Amino acid sequence: MLSSVSENSMQVGQTLSCNRVKERSILLIGNDQQLSDLFQQQLRGHGYQVQQKQRDNSIEESIVKNQPEMVILDIGFSDLSSLHLIVTIRAVFSGPLILLTSCDSEQEQIMAFNLGVDEYLVKPISKNIFDVRVSALFKRFVKSQSIDNQTQIQVGDLTLFPFAFKCQVNKQPVALTQFEFKLLHLLVSNEGKIMSRDLIYKTLLGREYNGSERTVDVRVSQLRDKLTRQGQQQTRIETVWGQGYMLNLLN
């Protein structure tokens, strides 16, 4: 009888565990199809929704289209130059990012973390350790999101989640680069106030505005375009000629 109860308890526990993760979506990026298939099969066996993607120039498009909750990037035996893909991913994705590599290099690991990965796993890796690392990383981000949901900033149809670097328009996600998010956060936090180019350059870029550089102007234009495409109507980033930019709440 005790054995039967224990087995039933284990089955219930496994069912509950699967239910907890079945809504979690993962984008798996790699160039070894056979290995990618194995990882996909393993993750799906634990209830995750997994999309596969080959390493190519359309990674950003795939992330924006699929809106995954986690990205796993497998670079195999690639050299350090392959780490630029982390920058590409972080430009449009702020969620948990795992790097899979066949190179156990301290230099690569330091660079990877500095560029924005959350977990660095060296292959070959046991199935159990891989499962535990994926699960643990999700748990950390769920906790972070819980904290973030309590500290959101809302102005009109705009909602920012500062801890998670997330933006929503009318509760719909908008994929922003980290610079775009920081720029929008600065404007939202100072709604109705003019943010001069000098202030923006010093605060976000750490350098003086030289009077002719167009970096921030281009970024503002791109930010406006993204917010408008998502249906922004109650707020607007306005250009104050000769002074800077200001976020206004429209009537």
Side-chain angles (χ1 to χ4, degrees):
M1 179 65 70
L2 180 60
S3 175
S4 176
V5 171
S6 298
E7 289 176 2
N8 289 338
S9 298
M10 288 178 64
Q11 290 174 355
V12 170
Q14 290 171 351
T15 300
L16 291 175
S17 176
C18 185
N19 287 338
R20 280 197 296 269
V21 303
K22 68 180 181 180
E23 299 300 326
R24 298 289 178 188
S25 59
I26 298 175
L27 181 64
L28 183 58
I29 303 171
N31 61 355
D32 185 329
Q33 188 62 50
Q34 184 176 5
L35 188 58
S36 184
D37 288 342
L38 289 174
F39 280 123
Q40 182 188 51
Q41 182 179 2
Q42 183 178 344
L43 290 167
R44 284 183 171 175
H46 285 273
Y48 296 105
Q49 298 177 11
V50 184
Q51 296 292 327
Q52 290 176 286
K53 172 70 182 144
Q54 292 295 303
R55 290 200 335 241
D56 55 32
N57 294 328
S58 62
I59 288 177
E60 291 172 284
E61 181 182 344
S62 293
I63 292 174
V64 173
K65 177 182 178 181
N66 291 291
Q67 291 291 305
E69 294 178 85
M70 175 182 286
V71 172
I72 299 177
L73 172 63
D74 185 358
I75 63 171
F77 281 106
S78 301
D79 55 32
L80 290 176
S81 63
S82 297
L83 295 181
H84 77 276
L85 290 172
I86 299 171
V87 178
T88 300
I89 293 169
R90 278 302 183 212
V92 294
F93 181 72
S94 59
L97 172 58
I98 293 177
L99 182 72
L100 281 171
T101 176
S102 300
C103 181
D104 188 7
S105 161
E106 180 177 340
Q107 181 186 5
E108 179 180 284
Q109 187 169 172
I110 292 172
M111 185 178 297
F113 278 113
N114 285 338
L115 290 174
V117 302
D118 300 293
E119 187 65 89
Y120 182 96
L121 302 180
V122 180
K123 299 180 296 183
I125 182 172
S126 77
K127 291 182 178 180
N128 290 335
I129 293 298
F130 179 70
D131 293 338
V132 167
R133 293 293 183 87
V134 170
S135 177
L137 187 54
F138 262 132
K139 288 178 181 178
R140 293 207 305 268
F141 269 79
V142 167
K143 184 177 180 180
S144 173
Q145 288 174 341
S146 177
I147 295 173
D148 184 65
N149 286 336
Q150 300 173 19
T151 56
Q152 65 188 33
I153 302 173
Q154 185 165 358
V155 177
D157 48 10
L158 270 176
T159 306
L160 300 186
F161 301 88
F163 285 96
F165 278 77
K166 290 185 177 180
C167 169
Q168 294 180 350
V169 172
N170 295 316
K171 298 185 178 181
Q172 297 302 311
V174 183
L176 302 179
T177 67
Q178 289 197 23
F179 183 87
E180 288 168 346
F181 182 88
K182 290 177 181 178
L183 174 59
L184 184 57
H185 183 252
L186 178 66
L187 294 171
V188 168
S189 300
N190 295 275
E191 178 216 337
K193 299 178 182 178
I194 300 173
M195 297 290 102
S196 69
R197 287 181 175 82
D198 288 333
L199 175 65
I200 293 173
Y201 271 84
K202 289 177 183 177
T203 303
L204 302 184
L205 295 173
R207 63 175 186 266
E208 299 283 342
Y209 175 55
N210 63 14
S212 61
E213 188 178 349
R214 299 280 298 169
T215 299
V216 168
D217 298 327
V218 172
R219 300 292 183 87
V220 169
S221 178
Q222 293 172 340
L223 177 57
R224 277 196 191 117
D225 185 54
K226 289 183 178 181
L227 297 176
T228 300
R229 289 202 309 266
Q230 195 58 275
Q232 180 191 34
Q233 294 182 337
Q234 298 176 11
T235 51
R236 177 186 300 160
I237 299 175
E238 297 185 357
T239 301
V240 183
W241 297 110
Q243 298 185 59
Y245 297 97
M246 175 172 58
L247 182 88
N248 272 337
L249 181 60
L250 306 179
N251 295 326

